[in-house]
Amino acid sequence: MHALKVYYKEIRISTHNRFELIDITHEVEQIVEESGVRNGMCLVFAPHATAAIIANEHESGLISDILTKIKELTDPGSSKWRHNIIDDNAHAHIGSALIGADRVFPVINGRLVRGTWQNIFVVEMDGPRSLRHIIVMVMGE
Ligand code: ZN
């Protein structure tokens, strides 16, 4: 019998631009290692309505392409967004809703499983922010 382990940690980051991808792969993998979980899963969750989590390639051209496409899709500053009447960040809420604020990864033999071209990024869409929390939960045995 193996006991279920639940290990929780927060990653704290600050962002420096309105739109930015922040690579947190190393921090997440370190948390999986610390957790001692051999087999299970790892949830990466941003408790923020204007940010998102993705897994993709860390290549500067692609990072710029992803941010360009997010801007095209979410139309920052548009007068058509009613939320912009009370706040100036409807695009970021829409981006978070479309992309999602979480990703789940398998943990097998003590390691987080991801593709070679799947780094884990926080998508900042309403920066700069002095503090963004990312919750990492590792569950398994
Ligand atoms: Zn808002």
Side-chain angles (χ1 to χ4, degrees):
M1 269 294 276
H2 298 276
L4 176 73
K5 278 184 207 164
V6 179
Y7 186 82
Y8 158 92
K9 204 155 184 185
E10 270 185 37
I11 298 170
R12 289 153 184 247
I13 57 168
S14 50
T15 61
H16 304 97
N17 298 291
R18 191 161 201 211
F19 292 88
E20 194 175 343
L21 291 190
I22 300 98
D23 193 327
I24 57 167
T25 311
H26 180 71
E27 290 88 338
V28 175
E29 287 184 338
Q30 202 151 24
I31 293 168
V32 170
E33 209 178 303
E34 280 168 29
S35 75
V37 170
R38 295 290 300 163
N39 292 290
M41 44 184 138
C42 173
L43 167 71
V44 182
F45 175 72
H48 298 288
T50 55
I53 303 291
I54 62 169
N56 222 295
E57 184 176 357
H58 194 146
E59 188 277 314
S60 59
L62 182 66
I63 286 172
S64 160
D65 295 340
I66 289 171
L67 294 176
T68 298
K69 193 64 196 177
I70 290 171
K71 288 176 210 169
E72 277 174 21
L73 288 170
T74 63
D75 223 347
S78 173
S79 56
K80 77 184 165 200
W81 301 136
R82 296 173 63 185
H83 183 66
N84 285 348
I85 296 165
I86 59 154
D87 203 355
D88 187 31
N89 61 2
H91 72 277
H93 289 275
I94 294 164
S96 178
L98 291 175
I99 299 164
D102 62 278
R103 287 290 190 272
V104 178
F105 300 87
V107 175
I108 299 176
N109 292 326
R111 306 199 66 168
L112 181 139
V113 178
R114 59 186 177 89
T116 309
W117 313 118
Q118 281 183 314
N119 278 33
I120 306 166
F121 291 94
V122 178
V123 184
E124 174 61 86
M125 292 173 282
D126 193 31
R129 297 290 184 103
S130 54
L131 185 58
R132 289 286 203 187
H133 302 262
I134 308 302
I135 289 168
V136 179
M137 249 183 134
V138 193
M139 287 153 286
E141 54 176 34

